[in-house]
Amino acid sequence: CGGNSTKATSGINGAGTKTQKNKGIPDNADIFTQDTLKGGAKKPELAKLLCVNSAADVDWLVDKFNLDLSLVARLGGHSQPRTHRGKERFPGMTITYALIQMLEKIAEKTDRARIITKAEVFKLICNGKAVVGCEYKKAGKILKEYGPVVFASGGFGADFGSDSLLATY
């Protein structure tokens, strides 16, 4: 579970986090975006979105999952220290396991989430430009799910082809 993220040994990047502010690190989303674009990001609008949301994302992990992300380091390509981690050896594993455990708990105890594995999504159901569900194949049957859709397919984010999921949606 968690794919490549579980193997991450550096940490998670965030600019303008509570931890950075407490340590007096003068970082913000604009600086992070500049660093990301300088590093060769191919989609400036996605890079900016990632950077603008990064502080809230890191703070959410700390606040809602009680994760230790108190150590901040400056890694290659960054002009400011912004890679957050705790004392554990594999921060990616710590983060993804906390998220997966919470999702599993929500799926078990409520009807707010369903985890469907070993399925092939072949069509997104849209209302205008909004995705409202999907059609998928599982065990030879074609099924539909409605509501928010989260893909955990492992690597589609690097597909920049004209017919990729990123380009289409």
Side-chain angles (χ1 to χ4, degrees):
C1 290
N4 194 52
S5 296
T6 61
K7 298 174 183 152
T9 57
S10 299
I12 183 170
N13 296 317
T17 66
K18 293 176 189 174
T19 301
Q20 285 178 305
K21 289 174 185 161
N22 291 339
K23 293 179 180 283
I25 299 169
D27 199 12
N28 61 49
D30 290 334
I31 298 169
F32 189 10
T33 301
Q34 290 171 15
D35 290 348
T36 303
L37 294 174
K38 191 186 306 180
K42 303 286 187 245
K43 299 271 188 172
E45 64 281 0
L46 288 179
K48 183 175 182 180
L49 183 66
L50 169 88
C51 297
V52 166
N53 290 328
S54 67
D57 294 343
V58 171
D59 292 341
W60 177 75
L61 289 168
V62 171
D63 296 341
K64 299 294 183 191
F65 293 87
N66 199 30
L67 292 180
D68 173 19
L69 298 176
S70 60
L71 304 176
V72 184
R74 179 179 169 195
L75 299 183
H78 296 285
S79 62
Q80 298 293 326
R82 69 171 61 102
T83 305
H84 296 68
R85 64 173 295 139
K87 294 170 184 65
E88 74 289 330
R89 186 169 174 196
F90 294 100
M93 184 180 298
T94 302
I95 293 166
T96 55
Y97 278 21
L99 294 169
I100 290 165
Q101 287 174 339
M102 182 61 74
L103 177 59
E104 288 172 340
K105 189 184 299 181
I106 291 168
E108 286 172 16
K109 297 183 178 191
T110 74
D111 62 353
R112 294 178 59 206
R114 285 180 18 101
I115 300 170
I116 300 169
T117 59
K118 298 183 176 29
E120 176 190 343
V121 174
F122 61 88
K123 181 180 178 185
L124 295 178
I125 302 168
C126 297
N127 182 1
K129 289 188 174 188
V131 175
V132 297
C134 67
E135 283 188 58
Y136 64 98
K137 191 184 303 182
K138 181 175 173 117
K141 296 180 184 174
I142 294 183
L143 304 159
K144 292 182 182 182
E145 284 291 327
Y146 291 91
V149 176
V150 177
F151 286 104
S153 63
F156 79 87
D159 181 0
F160 295 108
S162 61
D163 62 345
S164 71
L165 291 174
L166 284 175
T168 305
Y169 302 101

